[in-house]
Amino acid sequence: MESSGNTIAAISTPPGMGAIALIRLSGPQASEIAQSVWKGADLRAASPRKAHLGNIVSGDGAVIDQVLLTRFAAPASFTGEDMVEIACHGSTFIQQAILSRLIEAGAEPAGPGEFSMRAVINGKLDLSQAEGVADLISSTSRAAADIALKQMNGGISRTLTQLTQQLTELAALVELELDFSEEDVEFASRTRLLDTTHKILTHLTSLIESYSTGAALRDGISIAITGAPNAGKSSLLNSLLGDDRAIVSDIPGTTRDTIEAPLILGPYKFLLTDTAGLRDTDDPIEKAGIERTRTAASRAHILLSIIDSTLTPSPALLPTADMPSADTHHIILLNKSDREDNRAADWQTHISHSPAAATELRTISTRKQEDIKSLKQRLQTIAADMQTMAGEHIITNERHRHALHQAREALIRVEQSLTQELPMDMLTQDIRESIHHLSTVTGTAITTPTLLRHLFAHFCIGK
């Protein structure tokens, strides 16, 4: 693919007013267009990658703003083309005036992600790396930023390149067997081919399984807080947030809908959900809230089931055994441990003899800061364990997960063909199909600008 010959311009900083804004130009006429609206050093002769002070002027020579302008010469730029970056004052009026002046001088407005798309087309980034750039821009936690940085720096790309090379070697061995099928020559036994296929499948499966954790680390690890009415769910939410986010009342059924709030702990972002109390009720609105509670619990990465430890232990007050999914980290919290009438010891015995499924059991008081601090530390540890279990290279993009899944499906057919000792010519097409799907992640199998524009449509303008 080749980049189009036009020169594009866009405001690259977020909409709104600030101290400084950045406007970018990219394309073969970037320096000429910038020079035509600029009063200062001759940009075509000026050293690249150095900031130059000057003025952007209107068509009649009036100064629009004093700016710092930096020129980047192709191919040593983000897009691989000639680029100019203009750092102006952050007035929304000035930003728009400069952009309009650049368009008046011959630039075209950039589309969403068009700078990144040109970087891909010109070989400065592959598609996976460009998507890492977008994830880095939108990251809301240190963990999400770290994953995006690894992807932007080619971590996923290098892994997939290695897998593609292994598949290519596998295909070559199969082709050699076909070419010399009438000769008494064996280039690779089926056992060796099967072993290679199995190793690649194992690696693909690991990457695919990392998606669930990757998406959680990118968007927020979901925590559902459940329990009977008045167990202390809303108090726990407020204590974790350090804010009165949910109404706390002694009246059962106060919370009838889910209440969601983000929580940053160390490098991790969590999404807390306070839910309606679980009990039998004839109130249709409360019933709807309880159904949402069960949905939130079934989808949570971490489930906090809170119990009022001052109550007499009863099976009816235990968390529903089938509520969490198999991958959910389930913690039962015996609340109100600061009360003299708490029966936490009795509850611990009762739970140990019950079928309630829980990863761990903790005794807490939502009123005690040391208990909340300890719980927060435990949540961070769980998140860190999730990240470690997912492996060094984690995928966060659904498009990547889908492509890897298709590559694995094709390779499973190869494994089945080898196991069943089917003719070798049946393997080659499936191997090629697996290679193709891996190539779509990095973009080497994407050949049309139209498809690329579709993939970059969710990017912000100016990036």
Side-chain angles (χ1 to χ4, degrees), residues 3 24 26 77-81 83 113-127 129-130 133 452 456 463:
S3 177
R24 309 170 91 186
S26 181
S77 72
F78 175 74
T79 62
E81 303 174 329
M83 285 189 68
E114 191 166 357
F115 290 89
S116 297
M117 184 174 73
R118 291 188 177 203
V120 170
I121 291 173
N122 294 320
K124 302 299 289 186
L125 298 172
D126 66 30
L127 187 54
Q129 290 175 296
V133 172
L452 270 181
F456 281 99
K463 190 54 190 172

Side-chain angles (χ1 to χ4, degrees), residues 21-301:
L22 187 69
I23 299 171
R24 309 170 91 186
L25 280 162
S26 181
Q29 301 300 313
S31 295
E32 287 76 7
I33 291 173
Q35 184 67 57
S36 69
V37 304
W38 160 263
K39 292 297 181 184
D42 186 346
L43 300 178
R44 289 158 293 192
S47 299
R49 297 178 177 271
K50 290 186 177 180
H52 303 278
L53 181 67
N55 295 321
I56 300 294
V57 297
S58 63
D60 59 8
V63 175
I64 296 175
D65 190 24
Q66 186 181 57
V67 304
L68 282 175
L69 188 149
T70 308
R71 181 176 72 87
F72 300 87
S77 72
F78 175 74
T79 62
E81 303 174 329
D82 284 344
M83 285 189 68
V84 172
E85 292 187 348
I86 301 170
C88 64
H89 292 96
S91 158
T92 54
F93 167 76
I94 288 175
Q95 293 178 56
Q96 289 297 329
I98 293 175
L99 180 61
S100 297
R101 185 74 179 96
L102 293 171
I103 292 172
E104 179 186 311
E108 296 182 12
E114 191 166 357
F115 290 89
S116 297
M117 184 174 73
R118 291 188 177 203
V120 170
I121 291 173
N122 294 320
K124 302 299 289 186
L125 298 172
D126 66 30
L127 187 54
S128 173
Q129 290 175 296
E131 288 167 315
V133 172
D135 283 348
L136 183 62
I137 291 170
S138 61
S139 61
T140 55
S141 69
R142 180 70 261 172
D146 287 344
I147 294 172
L149 275 170
K150 286 183 178 179
Q151 183 174 329
M152 187 183 76
N153 291 329
I156 294 296
S157 302
R158 285 189 292 273
T159 297
L160 296 185
T161 297
Q162 291 172 359
L163 292 177
T164 300
Q165 289 173 346
Q166 293 172 25
L167 283 171
T168 302
E169 292 169 4
L170 182 67
L173 288 173
V174 172
E175 292 287 357
L176 281 172
E177 290 290 331
L178 288 172
D179 290 343
F180 292 90
S181 59
E182 297 181 0
E183 306 290 336
D184 190 19
V185 179
E186 183 179 69
F187 291 93
S189 66
R190 285 182 181 265
T191 300
R192 178 184 169 190
L193 295 174
L194 193 58
D195 181 62
T196 301
T197 302
H198 180 71
K199 288 179 179 177
I200 300 172
L201 271 173
T202 300
H203 205 148
L204 281 175
T205 299
S206 177
L207 284 172
I208 293 167
E209 289 178 347
S210 75
Y211 171 74
S212 176
T213 298
L217 292 173
R218 181 194 63 198
D219 301 328
I221 299 168
S222 58
I223 300 177
I225 303 172
T226 65
N230 291 341
K233 299 183 300 300
S234 297
S235 295
L236 178 61
L237 177 80
N238 291 341
S239 295
L240 287 170
L241 294 174
D243 187 25
D244 291 336
R245 178 69 175 79
I247 297 173
V248 177
S249 170
D250 292 333
I251 302 172
T254 301
T255 303
R256 296 192 169 199
D257 201 352
T258 55
I259 298 174
E260 298 179 351
L263 172 67
I264 300 293
L265 297 176
Y268 302 105
K269 178 183 178 180
F270 297 87
L271 297 176
L272 293 175
T273 302
D274 182 22
T275 64
L278 295 168
R279 65 170 180 170
D280 292 329
T281 178
D282 294 325
D283 187 320
I285 297 177
E286 193 174 352
K287 277 185 175 181
I290 291 172
E291 185 58 35
R292 292 190 179 188
T293 296
R294 297 187 182 280
T295 299
S298 67
R299 296 176 178 175
H301 298 99

Side-chain angles (χ1 to χ4, degrees), residues 180-455:
F180 292 90
S181 59
E182 297 181 0
E183 306 290 336
D184 190 19
V185 179
E186 183 179 69
F187 291 93
S189 66
R190 285 182 181 265
T191 300
R192 178 184 169 190
L193 295 174
L194 193 58
D195 181 62
T196 301
T197 302
H198 180 71
K199 288 179 179 177
I200 300 172
L201 271 173
T202 300
H203 205 148
L204 281 175
T205 299
S206 177
L207 284 172
I208 293 167
E209 289 178 347
S210 75
Y211 171 74
S212 176
T213 298
L217 292 173
R218 181 194 63 198
D219 301 328
I221 299 168
S222 58
I223 300 177
I225 303 172
T226 65
N230 291 341
K233 299 183 300 300
S234 297
S235 295
L236 178 61
L237 177 80
N238 291 341
S239 295
L240 287 170
L241 294 174
D243 187 25
D244 291 336
R245 178 69 175 79
I247 297 173
V248 177
S249 170
D250 292 333
I251 302 172
T254 301
T255 303
R256 296 192 169 199
D257 201 352
T258 55
I259 298 174
E260 298 179 351
L263 172 67
I264 300 293
L265 297 176
Y268 302 105
K269 178 183 178 180
F270 297 87
L271 297 176
L272 293 175
T273 302
D274 182 22
T275 64
L278 295 168
R279 65 170 180 170
D280 292 329
T281 178
D282 294 325
D283 187 320
I285 297 177
E286 193 174 352
K287 277 185 175 181
I290 291 172
E291 185 58 35
R292 292 190 179 188
T293 296
R294 297 187 182 280
T295 299
S298 67
R299 296 176 178 175
H301 298 99
I302 301 172
L303 176 62
L304 302 179
S305 296
I306 191 163
I307 293 174
D308 182 349
S309 68
T310 66
L311 300 177
T312 302
S314 166
L317 296 175
L318 286 174
T320 304
D322 61 352
M323 186 183 295
S325 69
D327 297 327
T328 302
H329 193 101
H330 185 195
I331 304 175
I332 294 179
L333 300 174
L334 299 177
N335 189 29
K336 305 183 183 180
S337 64
D338 57 322
R339 294 263 297 266
E340 291 185 1
D341 58 343
N342 86 80
R343 306 184 63 178
D346 294 338
W347 270 107
Q348 289 173 351
T349 302
H350 182 72
I351 290 171
S352 68
H353 293 91
S354 76
T359 310
E360 60 183 282
L361 176 67
R362 298 174 71 90
T363 300
I364 71 162
S365 168
T366 58
R367 297 179 179 180
K368 296 174 68 174
Q369 285 301 310
E370 57 265 36
D371 287 356
I372 297 302
K373 181 180 179 181
S374 176
L375 179 58
K376 286 181 176 180
Q377 291 172 339
R378 181 65 185 127
L379 294 175
Q380 285 191 66
T381 300
I382 293 170
D385 290 343
M386 288 173 60
Q387 186 170 5
T388 301
M389 289 286 290
E392 181 182 358
H393 298 299
I394 301 174
I395 62 169
T396 61
N397 189 301
E398 168 59 26
R399 187 184 73 81
H400 298 175
R401 187 206 65 79
H402 180 68
L404 293 176
H405 175 76
Q406 289 182 305
R408 183 179 64 174
E409 290 297 303
L411 209 53
I412 287 173
R413 294 194 295 272
V414 172
E415 186 178 52
Q416 291 171 342
S417 297
L418 287 168
T419 303
Q420 297 169 12
E421 298 189 354
L422 297 177
M424 284 288 192
D425 56 1
M426 298 185 66
L427 277 65
T428 55
Q429 181 58 41
D430 286 327
I431 296 174
R432 291 193 191 104
E433 183 178 335
S434 186
I435 292 172
H436 168 78
H437 290 306
L438 291 183
S439 299
T440 63
V441 176
T442 57
T444 55
I446 297 173
T447 57
T448 66
T450 300
L451 182 53
L452 270 181
R453 279 192 289 271
H454 173 74
L455 292 173

